[in-house]
Amino acid sequence: FFFFFCRITRDLPSLGMLSVVAPQLSLSTAHVVGARRAPAVQMAAGPMYDQPLAPSTMGREFINSARKPLSEYVGASQELAAFPGGGGKEGAAPVPWDPLQLSELWKVSANNPDVAWLREAELKHGRMSMLAITGVMVQSAGIHLPGNADISFANADWAMAPTTLPPAAWGQVLFFIGLAEGQTSAGLFDLWLGNTEKREPGNLGWGTQFLSKDKKAADKMRLKELKNGRLAMLAIMGVAFNHVIPGALPGCMYN
């Protein structure tokens, strides 16, 4: 069946015209053949590949606007690109390490996120992972919240401890999460199209007063948070695998 399918698809261009359901997306045989020889051509008026499907009143100005490249973000993993063949010419700034070119997906379709959205997601996952791995370490050390007659925090099994909470406690947790997410959601979805006018990726409006007014010093602190978050994501994943598969992480003291 596979070879039959390949034979059919190979002979499709000889049919003369490849029709697509959308009216303005009909491709001639020459276009199909040309697409095989070269990648899609970028638009002359913007960075998007081909013609964006969004109408002018539904976000085309954001789709086709200039975007902040990965190289301008703090912590773009340039260290991994410093080795020979890692990108960048001698004497020039190294090219950010992105072997899967995930930071370029937005050029293919507006359905793909911009680097701003990816950075927001990375920071949020890193922050949650730092809280998670800290909680595992504190819980495993025998340090618990006092609790009361209805709620006990004495369970040392970090994986099963949440199941011991009553519905009222879970309601408080979910309410706080919803409140925090709602209060910090302004401009969040604009990041998908690279629009950072209302929101800087990862900036929740908390603690910014502790950052230095000097940009280099502030970026250094942002880089520290980013790297600690990346390390915490690896740590909590390792502990989780070691819990599900005992011995999966040799030497891990947390189960």
Side-chain angles (χ1 to χ4, degrees), residues 225-241:
E225 180 193 25
L226 192 63
K227 288 189 173 183
N228 279 278
R230 290 169 176 172
L231 180 61
M233 285 189 280
L234 293 174
I236 193 63
M237 282 193 296
V239 171
F241 278 116

Side-chain angles (χ1 to χ4, degrees), residues 20-169:
V20 183
V21 176
Q24 297 179 350
L25 295 180
S26 297
L27 302 176
S28 64
T29 305
H31 291 152
V32 175
V33 175
R36 292 180 175 178
R37 298 197 188 110
V41 180
Q42 290 184 347
M43 294 180 62
M48 281 290 295
Y49 289 111
D50 295 330
Q51 183 69 244
L53 299 181
S56 58
T57 58
M58 296 180 63
R60 178 176 295 206
E61 62 275 16
F62 294 113
I63 293 175
N64 218 23
S65 61
R67 306 292 184 92
K68 182 179 178 180
L70 177 61
S71 58
E72 295 184 10
Y73 281 86
V74 174
S77 297
Q78 295 183 357
E79 298 91 344
L80 296 177
F83 58 87
K89 297 181 179 180
E90 185 176 355
V95 177
W97 189 73
D98 184 20
L100 298 180
Q101 296 184 330
L102 298 178
S103 61
E104 303 290 334
L105 284 177
W106 66 271
K107 294 183 178 180
V108 179
S109 170
N111 293 325
N112 298 325
D114 184 78
V115 182
W117 177 275
L118 298 177
R119 172 51 56 89
E120 171 80 18
E122 181 181 22
L123 283 171
K124 179 168 288 189
H125 282 81
R127 290 164 180 171
M128 294 302 298
S129 296
M130 285 189 282
L131 290 173
I133 192 63
T134 302
V136 170
M137 296 169 64
V138 171
Q139 186 86 346
S140 300
I143 304 174
H144 310 284
L145 294 174
N148 52 39
D150 298 323
I151 303 176
S152 174
F153 296 102
N155 190 348
D157 187 355
W158 64 270
M160 299 302 297
T163 63
T164 63
L165 294 179

Side-chain angles (χ1 to χ4, degrees), residues 34 91 141 224 238:
K224 289 180 179 179

